[in-house]
Amino acid sequence: MSVEKVSVVIVQLRYQYRIALTPGQRIRAARVFGCRRVVWNDALAVQKLRKASNKLLGNPKARLAEGPYQPVPKNAELGKTLITAAKKSAEREFLSDAPVGVMQQTLRDLDGAWKAHEDSKTGNRRGPKVAPPRFKSKKDNRQTARFTRSDRFSVTDGGRLRLPKIGEVRVKWSRDLPSAPSSVTLIKDCSGRYWVSFVVETDPAADMLPPTDRDQGIDLGLDRFAVLADGSQIASPKYLRRAEKKLKKRQRELSRKKKGSSNRDKARIKVARAHAKVADSRRNFHHQWSHKLTRENQAVFTETLNVRGGLARTRLAKSVHDAGWAQFVTFCEYKAIRRGRSSAKVARDFPSSQICSACGYCDGPKPLHIRAWTCANCGTRHDRDWNAGRNVLHEGRRIRAADTTAPPTPGPGASRR
Ligand SMILES: [Zn+2]
């Protein structure tokens, strides 16, 4: 059994805020999104063509000897032809509606998309396969544009954000930016709301908390969101099911609207809004609890989730989705790193429901409907989820004690039961 550790040190953080655009700013934002899309599509067309023709020429050495091999152009070259020169042509004149930095960033983003695709093919990238970059459509629901330092965006004395080619934008500052941002991404989400997301580099030491001797094991569940090793519970937020009726109604309305009609567009936005609302409240809930748990404990141990497997069992799918465990675990991980605390997942095959957390006796798997049982060895009466939470805690501590590369932890030893 092993612990999957997260070893990234985060120094770049994202801070996202809602913004309000005037009608004029919306039009200008749409133009910036449009320029970005055109540059992306033009560059992708060139790259695809080159890649396809090179592929026909066979192996790299042969094609160099052949002559006609043309390397896929680099960003500098693409920038010259597709941005600088294109602006002077009649059909691409409109590219001057967007800051140059935004369009250059688009080329870098495209590079990133290719790299993700290629790395996932060669196995350099974990997780599911990534498709090659696609052409962007005007109808894509989510639009983004990233302004870099070279674009000279700034925050005015009055607290407005000045974005080149768009104007001074009113921002809902829900929390303070810790330092000057290195870039800002303008986002229009699928429900038509506008956001800005700043990338901020922070000194990781500023968020560090002093060490504590408390650890926590977490059993994530369906009827209760989580049961902790100390016996406390986090009730399950059933936002999704509560909002489901409304969603269903909106969806029915959408399906009745004629395709391509403006009424259908309106209905689609209503559906997206209802979805977004659920996702927002769920995210807040996860932020609150991961914040609290990583603040109060030196280590937070969870089970390794099989989200895909979980979703496959359709009867449970809704609840699994509702609970959004994966997001919660990710939040715990990054908050722990930020604060000098730790988080770890016990192995997927760890039998958290089979072991007695009092004496360690293992009496094999139990069907899901068994919520409580008495240990045949020591006679302790167990709540299934609480017992699992305690086992996750014990297992996490055991692995931490065995891991000689981990920093020493203060307080009671790992064998405390
Ligand atoms: Zn026992």
Side-chain angles (χ1 to χ4, degrees):
M1 286 165 203
S2 68
V3 164
E4 286 179 16
K5 265 213 228 95
V6 185
S7 57
V8 215
V9 175
I10 302 173
V11 285
Q12 279 201 333
L13 302 175
R14 284 185 175 278
Y15 282 73
Q16 190 165 320
Y17 306 91
R18 234 354 235 287
I19 53 169
L21 295 186
T22 63
Q25 287 171 340
R26 281 168 196 249
I27 292 168
R28 292 194 288 277
R31 284 196 193 128
V32 172
F33 292 140
C35 292
R36 188 186 179 275
R37 185 172 61 239
V38 166
V39 169
W40 172 284
N41 287 348
D42 285 354
L44 184 56
V46 172
Q47 290 169 337
K48 280 204 159 169
L49 211 67
R50 286 280 172 89
K51 277 176 199 266
S53 69
N54 286 341
K55 209 173 174 183
L56 289 175
L57 288 169
N59 86 60
K61 276 180 193 158
R63 49 192 201 201
L64 278 175
E66 286 286 329
Y69 170 78
Q70 291 172 304
V72 178
K74 294 267 182 296
N75 280 348
E77 192 189 333
L78 287 171
K80 267 184 214 152
T81 53
L82 301 179
I83 303 170
T84 318
K87 265 197 223 173
K88 291 173 188 140
S89 71
E91 67 269 25
R92 290 284 182 269
E93 205 182 15
F94 60 83
L95 288 180
S96 44
D97 285 345
V100 174
V102 168
M103 294 184 282
Q104 281 166 341
Q105 183 59 43
T106 305
L107 296 175
R108 286 193 285 274
D109 293 344
L110 182 56
D111 262 357
W114 277 114
K115 191 172 178 337
H117 168 62
E118 263 129 42
D119 284 353
S120 87
K121 263 203 320 202
T122 53
N124 283 335
R125 185 193 162 100
R126 290 205 304 169
K129 285 265 185 291
V130 178
R134 290 183 309 118
F135 288 107
K136 290 192 184 296
S137 155
K138 209 174 194 170
K139 290 197 173 144
D140 285 348
N141 288 328
R142 191 183 145 90
Q143 309 271 354
T144 61
R146 184 161 166 198
F147 297 76
T148 52
R149 273 208 185 108
S150 68
D151 294 314
R152 304 228 167 88
F153 64 88
S154 60
V155 179
T156 66
D157 293 338
R160 292 186 174 225
L161 173 67
R162 187 182 291 132
L163 289 173
K165 304 280 184 188
I166 291 177
E168 287 182 8
V169 172
R170 206 151 51 87
V171 183
K172 218 176 174 184
W173 298 105
S174 46
R175 53 179 175 157
D176 286 338
L177 274 176
S179 60
S182 58
S183 77
V184 57
T185 305
L186 176 67
I187 301 164
K188 185 188 179 193
D189 71 15
C190 55
S191 55
R193 300 178 302 178
Y194 292 86
W195 307 80
V196 282
S197 173
F198 293 94
V199 171
V200 175
E201 269 133 52
T202 55
D203 174 11
D207 290 318
M208 291 290 173
L209 293 176
T212 159
D213 62 0
R214 286 187 58 178
D215 295 331
Q216 195 64 273
I218 303 175
D219 178 67
L220 295 163
L222 289 172
D223 30 322
R224 292 167 287 193
F225 176 73
V227 176
L228 309 180
D230 62 11
S232 57
Q233 300 178 5
I234 306 175
S236 183
K238 298 194 169 69
Y239 305 117
L240 198 66
R241 257 166 290 171
R242 218 180 293 153
E244 193 183 45
K245 259 192 179 165
K246 198 170 178 185
L247 257 176
K248 264 191 180 159
K249 191 171 160 239
R250 297 265 181 257
Q251 227 127 29
R252 266 201 310 273
E253 282 166 5
L254 173 64
S255 63
R256 277 201 300 264
K257 301 284 187 274
K258 229 170 92 185
K259 271 197 182 157
S261 69
S262 67
N263 276 337
R264 188 185 171 88
D265 252 13
K266 280 182 206 150
R268 186 186 54 75
I269 288 173
K270 274 187 185 160
V271 169
R273 282 231 170 102
H275 269 297
K277 217 170 177 179
V278 174
D280 286 354
S281 0
R282 191 194 290 138
R283 195 181 315 110
N284 284 342
F285 174 80
H286 290 159
H287 271 309
Q288 271 169 24
W289 278 101
S290 54
H291 179 92
K292 186 170 154 63
L293 287 165
T294 50
R295 178 164 283 276
E296 289 174 355
N297 298 288
Q298 185 62 31
V300 175
F301 302 114
T302 54
E303 287 170 285
T304 300
L305 304 172
N306 188 353
V307 175
R308 301 213 134 189
L311 284 173
R313 288 173 294 156
T314 44
R315 250 190 70 217
L316 292 179
K318 200 162 286 163
S319 309
V320 172
H321 183 61
D322 198 355
W325 296 330
Q327 176 171 270
F328 171 73
V329 170
T330 309
F331 283 2
C332 286
E333 283 169 350
Y334 91 82
K335 285 187 209 286
I337 294 169
R338 224 192 254 185
R339 296 185 163 146
R341 300 292 166 82
S342 66
S343 75
K345 299 176 202 162
V346 303
R348 204 178 294 266
D349 56 358
F350 177 65
S352 63
S353 310
Q354 300 181 24
I355 302 169
C356 164
S357 60
C359 72
Y361 179 69
C362 180
D363 58 0
K366 300 162 191 73
L368 263 176
H369 70 266
I370 306 240
R371 305 312 308 164
W373 81 96
T374 305
C375 171
N377 185 45
C378 70
T380 309
R381 183 82 184 150
H382 287 300
D383 169 274
R384 184 189 181 107
D385 301 331
W386 182 9
N387 181 62
R390 297 213 301 169
N391 279 329
V392 168
L393 174 63
H394 298 156
E395 176 66 4
R397 281 180 170 160
R398 187 192 67 74
I399 299 165
R400 183 177 59 193
D403 182 2
T404 49
T405 60
T409 36
S415 58
R416 188 177 68 173
R417 287 204 164 186

